[in-house]
Amino acid sequence: MTDRIAAIWARLERFPLALIQVAARVGVGAVFFRSGLLKYGSWDFAVQLFRDEYRVPLLDPLLAARITTAIELAVPIFLWLGLATRLATLPLLGMIAVIQVFVYPNAWSDHLLWASALLLLLTRGAGAISVDHFIARARRVLDG
């Protein structure tokens, strides 16, 4: 029985990491992009949320709404393409930290899940199914 379990684990370890990285990029990107679309589509309500509910310290509600909407609409595109992926994780990790500390501290399980996916991408990169990978491969070819 132990050999059979070891064989199962060995098969699972051969699962392509690149597919997990794509899933992380798509999943986290979708969460933030959807949020950005909601803010953009209901702009007055978004500003009101920042003023009355989110109350992020040190930022004017209008400025906070503009910054977060821009990040939520732009950064997921980079994630989906796998372009500048490691850099793209940083603003989202920052947003998660702010949301966790100042806005929704009881939603830690969602934040931990999103942050885990982003930390995978930050530490391991976008994977073989990404623009980053194709750029790195092209650079190696050009460099000789």
Side-chain angles (χ1 to χ4, degrees):
M1 189 60 133
T2 304
D3 290 340
R4 180 167 273 185
I5 292 172
I8 292 170
W9 293 155
R11 283 183 113 162
L12 288 171
E13 288 174 0
R14 289 194 304 265
F15 188 85
L17 177 60
L19 294 179
I20 298 168
Q21 289 161 305
V22 168
R25 292 183 357 235
V26 170
V28 173
V31 168
F32 283 93
F33 192 75
R34 206 169 328 147
S35 177
L37 286 176
L38 285 171
K39 286 179 182 72
Y40 183 78
S42 304
W43 183 249
D44 292 336
F45 183 66
V47 174
Q48 180 184 346
L49 273 176
F50 276 91
R51 186 182 63 243
D52 299 337
E53 185 174 337
Y54 298 164
R55 297 181 185 176
V56 178
L58 305 175
L59 282 179
D60 173 72
L62 179 60
L63 179 61
R66 285 182 179 157
I67 291 170
T68 58
T69 302
I71 290 171
E72 289 175 339
L73 291 176
V75 172
I77 295 168
F78 286 89
L79 289 181
W80 293 333
L81 293 172
L83 177 61
T85 305
R86 289 181 169 169
L87 185 62
T89 65
L90 299 176
L92 297 182
L93 285 167
M95 285 180 65
I96 291 168
V98 169
I99 294 166
Q100 175 59 40
V101 172
F102 297 110
V103 183
Y104 296 122
N106 291 333
W108 61 268
S109 60
D110 288 337
H111 304 153
L112 185 61
L113 184 61
W114 304 338
S116 296
L118 290 170
L119 287 171
L120 169 72
L121 298 172
L122 178 64
T123 59
R124 300 297 184 269
I129 306 169
S130 68
V131 173
D132 288 345
H133 176 78
F134 292 114
I135 290 171
R137 208 165 93 192
R139 289 175 90 192
R140 284 192 300 272
V141 168
L142 292 175
D143 288 344

PDB file of all heavy atoms in Angstrom, residues 8-33:
ATOM      1  N   ILE A   8       1.233   7.510  -6.294  1.00  0.00           N
ATOM      2  CA  ILE A   8       0.226   8.570  -6.473  1.00  0.00           C
ATOM      3  C   ILE A   8       0.852   9.934  -6.224  1.00  0.00           C
ATOM      4  O   ILE A   8       0.657  10.871  -6.994  1.00  0.00           O
ATOM      5  CB  ILE A   8      -0.988   8.334  -5.548  1.00  0.00           C
ATOM      6  CG1 ILE A   8      -1.755   7.086  -5.998  1.00  0.00           C
ATOM      7  CG2 ILE A   8      -1.899   9.561  -5.523  1.00  0.00           C
ATOM      8  CD1 ILE A   8      -2.817   6.630  -5.020  1.00  0.00           C
ATOM      9  N   TRP A   9       1.630  10.062  -5.131  1.00  0.00           N
ATOM     10  CA  TRP A   9       2.282  11.343  -4.833  1.00  0.00           C
ATOM     11  C   TRP A   9       3.231  11.727  -5.967  1.00  0.00           C
ATOM     12  O   TRP A   9       3.302  12.894  -6.345  1.00  0.00           O
ATOM     13  CB  TRP A   9       3.055  11.284  -3.525  1.00  0.00           C
ATOM     14  CG  TRP A   9       2.274  11.138  -2.252  1.00  0.00           C
ATOM     15  CD1 TRP A   9       2.752  10.601  -1.099  1.00  0.00           C
ATOM     16  CD2 TRP A   9       0.931  11.517  -1.960  1.00  0.00           C
ATOM     17  NE1 TRP A   9       1.788  10.609  -0.128  1.00  0.00           N
ATOM     18  CE2 TRP A   9       0.645  11.173  -0.638  1.00  0.00           C
ATOM     19  CE3 TRP A   9      -0.091  12.092  -2.711  1.00  0.00           C
ATOM     20  CZ2 TRP A   9      -0.590  11.394  -0.035  1.00  0.00           C
ATOM     21  CZ3 TRP A   9      -1.332  12.316  -2.120  1.00  0.00           C
ATOM     22  CH2 TRP A   9      -1.565  11.980  -0.812  1.00  0.00           C
ATOM     23  N   ALA A  10       3.961  10.754  -6.485  1.00  0.00           N
ATOM     24  CA  ALA A  10       4.906  11.024  -7.584  1.00  0.00           C
ATOM     25  C   ALA A  10       4.167  11.538  -8.817  1.00  0.00           C
ATOM     26  O   ALA A  10       4.634  12.461  -9.490  1.00  0.00           O
ATOM     27  CB  ALA A  10       5.705   9.767  -7.914  1.00  0.00           C
ATOM     28  N   ARG A  11       3.018  10.962  -9.101  1.00  0.00           N
ATOM     29  CA  ARG A  11       2.224  11.443 -10.247  1.00  0.00           C
ATOM     30  C   ARG A  11       1.728  12.867 -10.012  1.00  0.00           C
ATOM     31  O   ARG A  11       1.733  13.695 -10.912  1.00  0.00           O
ATOM     32  CB  ARG A  11       1.032  10.523 -10.495  1.00  0.00           C
ATOM     33  CG  ARG A  11       1.388   9.244 -11.167  1.00  0.00           C
ATOM     34  CD  ARG A  11       0.148   8.475 -11.411  1.00  0.00           C
ATOM     35  NE  ARG A  11      -0.056   8.403 -12.852  1.00  0.00           N
ATOM     36  CZ  ARG A  11      -0.847   7.524 -13.420  1.00  0.00           C
ATOM     37  NH1 ARG A  11      -1.529   6.685 -12.668  1.00  0.00           N
ATOM     38  NH2 ARG A  11      -0.975   7.496 -14.718  1.00  0.00           N
ATOM     39  N   LEU A  12       1.256  13.129  -8.798  1.00  0.00           N
ATOM     40  CA  LEU A  12       0.767  14.473  -8.479  1.00  0.00           C
ATOM     41  C   LEU A  12       1.890  15.515  -8.590  1.00  0.00           C
ATOM     42  O   LEU A  12       1.643  16.641  -9.033  1.00  0.00           O
ATOM     43  CB  LEU A  12       0.152  14.505  -7.082  1.00  0.00           C
ATOM     44  CG  LEU A  12      -1.185  13.801  -6.938  1.00  0.00           C
ATOM     45  CD1 LEU A  12      -1.584  13.722  -5.470  1.00  0.00           C
ATOM     46  CD2 LEU A  12      -2.255  14.490  -7.758  1.00  0.00           C
ATOM     47  N   GLU A  13       3.090  15.134  -8.212  1.00  0.00           N
ATOM     48  CA  GLU A  13       4.218  16.066  -8.285  1.00  0.00           C
ATOM     49  C   GLU A  13       4.601  16.402  -9.719  1.00  0.00           C
ATOM     50  O   GLU A  13       5.269  17.406  -9.961  1.00  0.00           O
ATOM     51  CB  GLU A  13       5.425  15.498  -7.533  1.00  0.00           C
ATOM     52  CG  GLU A  13       5.221  15.516  -6.033  1.00  0.00           C
ATOM     53  CD  GLU A  13       6.328  14.826  -5.262  1.00  0.00           C
ATOM     54  OE1 GLU A  13       7.288  14.311  -5.883  1.00  0.00           O
ATOM     55  OE2 GLU A  13       6.231  14.798  -4.028  1.00  0.00           O
ATOM     56  N   ARG A  14       4.169  15.597 -10.673  1.00  0.00           N
ATOM     57  CA  ARG A  14       4.448  15.874 -12.082  1.00  0.00           C
ATOM     58  C   ARG A  14       3.412  16.807 -12.710  1.00  0.00           C
ATOM     59  O   ARG A  14       3.535  17.177 -13.871  1.00  0.00           O
ATOM     60  CB  ARG A  14       4.531  14.573 -12.868  1.00  0.00           C
ATOM     61  CG  ARG A  14       5.785  13.772 -12.547  1.00  0.00           C
ATOM     62  CD  ARG A  14       6.051  12.669 -13.560  1.00  0.00           C
ATOM     63  NE  ARG A  14       4.957  11.735 -13.723  1.00  0.00           N
ATOM     64  CZ  ARG A  14       4.832  10.567 -13.087  1.00  0.00           C
ATOM     65  NH1 ARG A  14       5.746  10.197 -12.219  1.00  0.00           N
ATOM     66  NH2 ARG A  14       3.806   9.778 -13.318  1.00  0.00           N
ATOM     67  N   PHE A  15       2.375  17.166 -11.943  1.00  0.00           N
ATOM     68  CA  PHE A  15       1.373  18.100 -12.468  1.00  0.00           C
ATOM     69  C   PHE A  15       2.079  19.406 -12.831  1.00  0.00           C
ATOM     70  O   PHE A  15       2.864  19.936 -12.047  1.00  0.00           O
ATOM     71  CB  PHE A  15       0.273  18.368 -11.440  1.00  0.00           C
ATOM     72  CG  PHE A  15      -0.879  19.155 -11.995  1.00  0.00           C
ATOM     73  CD1 PHE A  15      -1.908  18.514 -12.661  1.00  0.00           C
ATOM     74  CD2 PHE A  15      -0.920  20.540 -11.878  1.00  0.00           C
ATOM     75  CE1 PHE A  15      -2.971  19.234 -13.186  1.00  0.00           C
ATOM     76  CE2 PHE A  15      -1.968  21.263 -12.399  1.00  0.00           C
ATOM     77  CZ  PHE A  15      -2.998  20.610 -13.066  1.00  0.00           C
ATOM     78  N   PRO A  16       1.809  19.952 -14.007  1.00  0.00           N
ATOM     79  CA  PRO A  16       2.547  21.138 -14.464  1.00  0.00           C
ATOM     80  C   PRO A  16       2.301  22.372 -13.585  1.00  0.00           C
ATOM     81  O   PRO A  16       1.168  22.837 -13.456  1.00  0.00           O
ATOM     82  CB  PRO A  16       2.015  21.376 -15.876  1.00  0.00           C
ATOM     83  CG  PRO A  16       1.365  20.094 -16.278  1.00  0.00           C
ATOM     84  CD  PRO A  16       0.902  19.429 -15.022  1.00  0.00           C
ATOM     85  N   LEU A  17       3.368  22.874 -13.018  1.00  0.00           N
ATOM     86  CA  LEU A  17       3.300  24.092 -12.216  1.00  0.00           C
ATOM     87  C   LEU A  17       2.757  25.253 -13.050  1.00  0.00           C
ATOM     88  O   LEU A  17       2.039  26.111 -12.546  1.00  0.00           O
ATOM     89  CB  LEU A  17       4.680  24.443 -11.647  1.00  0.00           C
ATOM     90  CG  LEU A  17       4.784  25.728 -10.833  1.00  0.00           C
ATOM     91  CD1 LEU A  17       3.872  25.681  -9.614  1.00  0.00           C
ATOM     92  CD2 LEU A  17       6.230  25.978 -10.432  1.00  0.00           C
ATOM     93  N   ALA A  18       3.064  25.258 -14.339  1.00  0.00           N
ATOM     94  CA  ALA A  18       2.608  26.350 -15.219  1.00  0.00           C
ATOM     95  C   ALA A  18       1.083  26.472 -15.217  1.00  0.00           C
ATOM     96  O   ALA A  18       0.550  27.591 -15.296  1.00  0.00           O
ATOM     97  CB  ALA A  18       3.118  26.132 -16.639  1.00  0.00           C
ATOM     98  N   LEU A  19       0.373  25.365 -15.104  1.00  0.00           N
ATOM     99  CA  LEU A  19      -1.096  25.421 -15.069  1.00  0.00           C
ATOM    100  C   LEU A  19      -1.587  26.024 -13.758  1.00  0.00           C
ATOM    101  O   LEU A  19      -2.574  26.769 -13.739  1.00  0.00           O
ATOM    102  CB  LEU A  19      -1.696  24.031 -15.284  1.00  0.00           C
ATOM    103  CG  LEU A  19      -1.468  23.423 -16.662  1.00  0.00           C
ATOM    104  CD1 LEU A  19      -2.099  22.030 -16.743  1.00  0.00           C
ATOM    105  CD2 LEU A  19      -2.006  24.330 -17.759  1.00  0.00           C
ATOM    106  N   ILE A  20      -0.903  25.728 -12.669  1.00  0.00           N
ATOM    107  CA  ILE A  20      -1.256  26.328 -11.381  1.00  0.00           C
ATOM    108  C   ILE A  20      -0.988  27.829 -11.420  1.00  0.00           C
ATOM    109  O   ILE A  20      -1.792  28.625 -10.913  1.00  0.00           O
ATOM    110  CB  ILE A  20      -0.473  25.649 -10.239  1.00  0.00           C
ATOM    111  CG1 ILE A  20      -0.854  24.165 -10.159  1.00  0.00           C
ATOM    112  CG2 ILE A  20      -0.714  26.353  -8.912  1.00  0.00           C
ATOM    113  CD1 ILE A  20       0.046  23.333  -9.274  1.00  0.00           C
ATOM    114  N   GLN A  21       0.098  28.222 -12.054  1.00  0.00           N
ATOM    115  CA  GLN A  21       0.426  29.640 -12.164  1.00  0.00           C
ATOM    116  C   GLN A  21      -0.603  30.380 -13.025  1.00  0.00           C
ATOM    117  O   GLN A  21      -1.003  31.494 -12.689  1.00  0.00           O
ATOM    118  CB  GLN A  21       1.841  29.804 -12.726  1.00  0.00           C
ATOM    119  CG  GLN A  21       2.909  29.380 -11.722  1.00  0.00           C
ATOM    120  CD  GLN A  21       4.243  29.099 -12.362  1.00  0.00           C
ATOM    121  OE1 GLN A  21       4.332  28.289 -13.279  1.00  0.00           O
ATOM    122  NE2 GLN A  21       5.275  29.759 -11.864  1.00  0.00           N
ATOM    123  N   VAL A  22      -1.053  29.762 -14.096  1.00  0.00           N
ATOM    124  CA  VAL A  22      -2.110  30.372 -14.921  1.00  0.00           C
ATOM    125  C   VAL A  22      -3.377  30.535 -14.094  1.00  0.00           C
ATOM    126  O   VAL A  22      -4.017  31.597 -14.121  1.00  0.00           O
ATOM    127  CB  VAL A  22      -2.385  29.551 -16.200  1.00  0.00           C
ATOM    128  CG1 VAL A  22      -3.669  30.015 -16.881  1.00  0.00           C
ATOM    129  CG2 VAL A  22      -1.224  29.646 -17.162  1.00  0.00           C
ATOM    130  N   ALA A  23      -3.740  29.505 -13.353  1.00  0.00           N
ATOM    131  CA  ALA A  23      -4.950  29.576 -12.528  1.00  0.00           C
ATOM    132  C   ALA A  23      -4.834  30.692 -11.488  1.00  0.00           C
ATOM    133  O   ALA A  23      -5.800  31.435 -11.260  1.00  0.00           O
ATOM    134  CB  ALA A  23      -5.208  28.236 -11.845  1.00  0.00           C
ATOM    135  N   ALA A  24      -3.680  30.834 -10.881  1.00  0.00           N
ATOM    136  CA  ALA A  24      -3.479  31.908  -9.898  1.00  0.00           C
ATOM    137  C   ALA A  24      -3.601  33.270 -10.566  1.00  0.00           C
ATOM    138  O   ALA A  24      -4.244  34.184 -10.026  1.00  0.00           O
ATOM    139  CB  ALA A  24      -2.112  31.753  -9.225  1.00  0.00           C
ATOM    140  N   ARG A  25      -3.004  33.418 -11.737  1.00  0.00           N
ATOM    141  CA  ARG A  25      -3.062  34.706 -12.443  1.00  0.00           C
ATOM    142  C   ARG A  25      -4.496  35.057 -12.838  1.00  0.00           C
ATOM    143  O   ARG A  25      -4.956  36.182 -12.641  1.00  0.00           O
ATOM    144  CB  ARG A  25      -2.168  34.661 -13.693  1.00  0.00           C
ATOM    145  CG  ARG A  25      -0.705  34.589 -13.358  1.00  0.00           C
ATOM    146  CD  ARG A  25       0.245  34.608 -14.547  1.00  0.00           C
ATOM    147  NE  ARG A  25      -0.322  34.614 -15.857  1.00  0.00           N
ATOM    148  CZ  ARG A  25      -0.029  33.717 -16.810  1.00  0.00           C
ATOM    149  NH1 ARG A  25       0.817  32.732 -16.575  1.00  0.00           N
ATOM    150  NH2 ARG A  25      -0.579  33.809 -18.004  1.00  0.00           N
ATOM    151  N   VAL A  26      -5.204  34.089 -13.382  1.00  0.00           N
ATOM    152  CA  VAL A  26      -6.577  34.327 -13.846  1.00  0.00           C
ATOM    153  C   VAL A  26      -7.510  34.566 -12.661  1.00  0.00           C
ATOM    154  O   VAL A  26      -8.312  35.508 -12.668  1.00  0.00           O
ATOM    155  CB  VAL A  26      -7.074  33.155 -14.718  1.00  0.00           C
ATOM    156  CG1 VAL A  26      -8.567  33.271 -15.006  1.00  0.00           C
ATOM    157  CG2 VAL A  26      -6.286  33.105 -16.026  1.00  0.00           C
ATOM    158  N   GLY A  27      -7.404  33.731 -11.636  1.00  0.00           N
ATOM    159  CA  GLY A  27      -8.318  33.830 -10.496  1.00  0.00           C
ATOM    160  C   GLY A  27      -8.187  35.132  -9.733  1.00  0.00           C
ATOM    161  O   GLY A  27      -9.184  35.832  -9.509  1.00  0.00           O
ATOM    162  N   VAL A  28      -6.983  35.471  -9.339  1.00  0.00           N
ATOM    163  CA  VAL A  28      -6.793  36.716  -8.579  1.00  0.00           C
ATOM    164  C   VAL A  28      -7.077  37.920  -9.472  1.00  0.00           C
ATOM    165  O   VAL A  28      -7.698  38.894  -9.036  1.00  0.00           O
ATOM    166  CB  VAL A  28      -5.373  36.790  -7.977  1.00  0.00           C
ATOM    167  CG1 VAL A  28      -5.122  38.143  -7.339  1.00  0.00           C
ATOM    168  CG2 VAL A  28      -5.185  35.692  -6.951  1.00  0.00           C
ATOM    169  N   GLY A  29      -6.641  37.854 -10.714  1.00  0.00           N
ATOM    170  CA  GLY A  29      -6.921  38.960 -11.636  1.00  0.00           C
ATOM    171  C   GLY A  29      -8.410  39.212 -11.789  1.00  0.00           C
ATOM    172  O   GLY A  29      -8.863  40.359 -11.817  1.00  0.00           O
ATOM    173  N   ALA A  30      -9.194  38.145 -11.865  1.00  0.00           N
ATOM    174  CA  ALA A  30     -10.646  38.287 -12.028  1.00  0.00           C
ATOM    175  C   ALA A  30     -11.285  38.969 -10.830  1.00  0.00           C
ATOM    176  O   ALA A  30     -12.176  39.811 -10.986  1.00  0.00           O
ATOM    177  CB  ALA A  30     -11.283  36.915 -12.261  1.00  0.00           C
ATOM    178  N   VAL A  31     -10.828  38.624  -9.636  1.00  0.00           N
ATOM    179  CA  VAL A  31     -11.387  39.235  -8.420  1.00  0.00           C
ATOM    180  C   VAL A  31     -11.198  40.750  -8.456  1.00  0.00           C
ATOM    181  O   VAL A  31     -12.132  41.523  -8.228  1.00  0.00           O
ATOM    182  CB  VAL A  31     -10.728  38.638  -7.155  1.00  0.00           C
ATOM    183  CG1 VAL A  31     -11.084  39.452  -5.917  1.00  0.00           C
ATOM    184  CG2 VAL A  31     -11.147  37.200  -6.972  1.00  0.00           C
ATOM    185  N   PHE A  32      -9.979  41.175  -8.740  1.00  0.00           N
ATOM    186  CA  PHE A  32      -9.690  42.607  -8.713  1.00  0.00           C
ATOM    187  C   PHE A  32     -10.294  43.334  -9.911  1.00  0.00           C
ATOM    188  O   PHE A  32     -10.793  44.454  -9.779  1.00  0.00           O
ATOM    189  CB  PHE A  32      -8.179  42.845  -8.628  1.00  0.00           C
ATOM    190  CG  PHE A  32      -7.652  42.623  -7.244  1.00  0.00           C
ATOM    191  CD1 PHE A  32      -7.159  41.391  -6.860  1.00  0.00           C
ATOM    192  CD2 PHE A  32      -7.680  43.643  -6.311  1.00  0.00           C
ATOM    193  CE1 PHE A  32      -6.696  41.170  -5.576  1.00  0.00           C
ATOM    194  CE2 PHE A  32      -7.216  43.440  -5.015  1.00  0.00           C
ATOM    195  CZ  PHE A  32      -6.726  42.199  -4.654  1.00  0.00           C
ATOM    196  N   PHE A  33     -10.286  42.710 -11.091  1.00  0.00           N
ATOM    197  CA  PHE A  33     -10.847  43.362 -12.269  1.00  0.00           C
ATOM    198  C   PHE A  33     -12.350  43.588 -12.105  1.00  0.00           C
ATOM    199  O   PHE A  33     -12.873  44.655 -12.431  1.00  0.00           O
ATOM    200  CB  PHE A  33     -10.568  42.528 -13.523  1.00  0.00           C
ATOM    201  CG  PHE A  33     -10.849  43.253 -14.806  1.00  0.00           C
ATOM    202  CD1 PHE A  33      -9.978  44.234 -15.259  1.00  0.00           C
ATOM    203  CD2 PHE A  33     -11.964  42.959 -15.562  1.00  0.00           C
ATOM    204  CE1 PHE A  33     -10.230  44.906 -16.447  1.00  0.00           C
ATOM    205  CE2 PHE A  33     -12.224  43.629 -16.741  1.00  0.00           C
ATOM    206  CZ  PHE A  33     -11.351  44.607 -17.192  1.00  0.00           C
TER     207      PHE A  33
END
